[in-house]
Amino acid sequence: MRAATLPAPIRALPWSMLVTVMAITTFGLVTLYSAAGGHLSPWATNQAVRFAVLFAGMLVLSRVSVATWKRHAYTFYAVTLALLLLVELFGHIGMGAQRWIDLGIIRLQPSEFMKLAVVLSVARFYDTVPPGFISRPGVLIIPVALVAVPAGLVMLQPDLGTAMMITIAGTTMIFLAGTKMRWFIGAGAIVGALLPVAWGLLHDYQKNRILIFMDPESDPLGTGYHLSQSKIAIGSGGVFGKGFLQGTQSHLEYLPETHTDFIFSTMMEEWGMMGGLFVLLAYGYLVRWALNLGFDGKSMFARLVAAGLAMTLFLYVSINIAMVMGLAPVVGIPLPLLSYGGSAMMTVLILLGILMSIHRERFQTRHIGGL
């Protein structure tokens, strides 16, 4: 059957992106199967079911128009901000942090939704600002507040990694909107001057993570244990890896959190540098696809949303991989679609659903509008 004879909604789907997402997730399921010692439970089966449900949800969200995302951007932001406040009052405490609202059936992590809400709300704001007013102080204070308030609330949980993602993605959008460089230079100088104060506000475990990042060998059996074992697992994999189900660091339980934060290390021990390159190239394709949508966006809103979501996806991947390789402090950011768990997977598939909305609008403009 020729592509031209297929229904327009089918032809409008970004098939190369969808295949890439399924390839990453399948590789993740294989790694989870190995991490469980060659068993589908407890991780691979649950992850597969979760992906199937969320993937279907992504396709449904892709049918939402870009105008609808824009119209409800502030509402989404306000609801998510209220949920963050509820976390401070009634949140579930796990692993020393208060990040979830326990609804009985599921545990909701509002900070994940805020990564998307900040992008949508900042994009909507700049869509209404004339170009000549973008760098004015009275205008600039609004997007800064849209980013800073939720980032501050997330820091109180405490969740340094997510707060960093919200701040970096939001700052990138403010820059891409056309804000003059002098504001970033001034902000950088203020942040630099406040670093000693920020250090004093960090929790002891956060300080230890930063110190271990700077000197990993100072406590290899204590605070630096995770990082040391992760680097051993990655290095021992070599070019082609030890082979499927042959990872000693993970199977002998030297490597902690093999199915969540350190799944990239688990994978590279068995699949080596070639497996790592596959994952990097696959994620790189997704980021590039998102950026291309931004370049071709019909409006300021579409362009900034695509760029902001591309940055969010890039931060997920880059922070996690840098973390497990000892190139960044351990901050608990999972590798979406590979790491076991629903929060990051849900966020990224919603993210991709929004991008598919922009892709569908572009397709309609090019193919249907040109008829």
Side-chain angles (χ1 to χ4, degrees):
M1 182 181 292
R2 291 184 176 181
T5 64
L6 293 172
I10 301 298
R11 287 187 288 121
L13 291 173
W15 286 103
S16 57
M17 183 277 286
L18 295 176
V19 170
T20 302
V21 168
M22 288 187 280
I24 295 172
T25 304
T26 301
F27 199 22
L29 293 175
V30 170
T31 305
L32 290 173
Y33 175 84
S34 176
H39 299 285
L40 290 173
S41 61
W43 302 318
T45 300
N46 290 343
Q47 186 82 336
V49 172
R50 182 182 293 120
F51 174 74
V53 173
L54 292 174
F55 188 84
M58 177 190 72
L59 296 178
V60 172
L61 290 177
S62 72
R63 304 299 300 168
V64 177
S65 68
V66 175
T68 300
W69 289 114
K70 177 182 174 181
R71 184 165 58 251
H72 296 291
Y74 289 151
T75 302
F76 182 32
Y77 180 91
V79 171
T80 309
L81 191 64
L83 290 174
L84 280 178
L85 291 171
L86 284 176
V87 167
E88 293 302 314
L89 298 175
F90 309 108
H92 176 83
I93 297 177
M95 299 181 69
Q98 184 167 312
R99 301 175 185 173
W100 301 276
I101 298 174
D102 196 340
L103 301 178
I105 301 175
I106 60 172
R107 289 191 304 176
L108 188 66
Q109 189 171 351
S111 60
E112 287 292 325
F113 292 114
M114 185 53 77
K115 295 171 185 175
L116 308 177
V118 164
V119 170
L120 291 171
S121 59
V122 171
R124 171 163 183 185
F125 173 77
Y126 277 116
D127 192 65
T128 63
V129 177
F133 291 80
I134 286 176
S135 291
R136 293 193 177 185
V139 172
L140 187 58
I141 193 172
I142 297 176
V144 169
L146 287 173
V147 175
V149 171
L153 288 174
V154 171
M155 276 294 295
L156 292 176
Q157 294 181 359
D159 188 352
L160 178 60
T162 299
M164 286 173 53
M165 290 183 64
I166 292 172
T167 302
I168 295 173
T171 302
T172 300
M173 294 180 67
I174 293 172
F175 173 76
L176 293 176
T179 303
K180 292 183 179 179
M181 184 59 68
R182 67 172 182 268
W183 289 108
F184 297 96
I185 296 174
I190 293 173
V191 170
L194 293 176
L195 282 178
V197 177
W199 176 263
L201 296 176
L202 293 177
H203 292 259
D204 289 340
Y205 79 92
Q206 292 173 325
K207 294 178 180 178
N208 288 335
R209 286 178 176 179
I210 296 173
L211 293 173
I212 286 297
F213 162 66
M214 298 174 65
D215 185 10
E217 307 305 324
S218 61
D219 189 12
L221 298 178
T223 309
Y225 179 79
H226 290 57
L227 183 55
S228 297
Q229 296 302 320
S230 175
K231 291 162 70 175
I232 291 171
I234 292 173
S236 64
V239 177
F240 298 104
K242 295 177 179 178
F244 183 50
L245 297 174
Q246 301 302 313
T248 54
Q249 292 298 114
S250 56
H251 292 165
L252 296 177
E253 299 184 357
Y254 289 108
L255 180 65
E257 305 295 338
T258 56
H259 62 298
T260 53
D261 292 352
F262 289 88
I263 195 170
F264 188 75
S265 307
T266 305
M267 179 276 298
M268 283 201 66
E269 183 181 21
E270 296 190 353
W271 298 91
M273 184 180 69
M274 300 308 294
L277 284 175
F278 168 77
V279 171
L280 289 175
L281 289 173
Y283 279 120
Y285 173 79
L286 294 181
V287 173
R288 180 177 177 271
W289 172 76
L291 287 174
N292 285 339
L293 290 179
F295 294 144
D296 294 338
K298 291 174 56 179
S299 63
M300 172 70 85
F301 177 79
R303 291 193 294 272
L304 285 180
V305 166
L309 295 181
M311 175 57 71
T312 300
L313 180 58
F314 172 77
L315 290 171
Y316 260 121
V317 178
S318 60
I319 291 175
N320 177 272
I321 293 178
M323 176 184 76
V324 302
M325 296 180 68
L327 302 176
V330 177
V331 290
I333 295 294
L335 192 56
L337 305 178
L338 267 83
S339 294
Y340 180 77
S343 295
M345 177 181 285
M346 176 184 63
T347 302
V348 167
L349 290 179
I350 294 174
L351 178 157
L352 293 174
I354 298 172
L355 289 171
M356 288 175 68
S357 298
I358 299 174
H359 171 87
R360 183 168 58 85
E361 182 181 79
R362 185 180 67 169
F363 177 87
Q364 292 173 341
T365 300
R366 289 183 174 181
H367 294 81
I368 299 176
L371 293 179

